Amino acid sequence: MSYETPDIPEDAPTVLFLGDSITAGLHLPPDQAFPAAVQRQALDYGVPFHIVNAGVSGDTTRGGLNRLDFLLKNTSPDVVVVELGANDALRGQSLTNIETNLKEIIATIHLTDAQVLLLGMNAPTNLGDYAREFGEMYTRISGELDVQLVPSFLDGVGGLPEMNLPDGLHPTPEGHERLAKNIVRPLTSMISTASPLLAPGQRPQGR
């Protein structure tokens, strides 16, 4: 299935999606990845925005940090959605290093006028204490740096065979639509608050 390109006003806000293969929509056309899906869903709230999909398959928090300065300078986003950490966990990276990288990503974004939407990730439960501490890390970062958090970004998709491709790791088009649904309300609220271009009557009222 393909979608028509949404009609987005030239002066609409820009949202940068900094992430890994989930953001990139691995194995799918770009218009089926969740950044494009949430752009379409946001139009139901009367909140148009341009997307910059900076998803790179296999990326880690360190990789995202290394790319960030270039992306910020070249896109001037109003909001940055950060979807990173899962590959770090799969590689058994130090939680201290992951947290340091995520905090530096957020601090770098905060040097601009952009807001941050942090997407909470989960590590495989068979990793025991590591998995628990990994999930808690996102909540701690959100509180310490005062950023908006979607605590269960993969809710309704992660671990469900019907929502994932045969590899069991990457969402189907339906899975990406669900991921978009998980973040559309907080994202549209942030965009409406950040952008003076949206009149009060255009602010999201729920769905």
Side-chain angles (χ1 to χ4, degrees), residues 18-19 54-56 59 62-72:
L18 180 69
V56 173
D59 208 8
R62 173 53 58 177
L65 179 59
N66 290 341
R67 298 188 287 125
L68 186 56
D69 277 335
F70 175 85
L71 291 167
L72 292 173

Side-chain angles (χ1 to χ4, degrees), residues 21 24-30 32-33 57 165-173 176:
S21 58
L26 187 64
H27 305 309
L28 299 175
Q32 293 184 5
S57 295
L165 298 171
D167 64 12
L169 296 173
H170 298 99
T172 61
H176 278 279

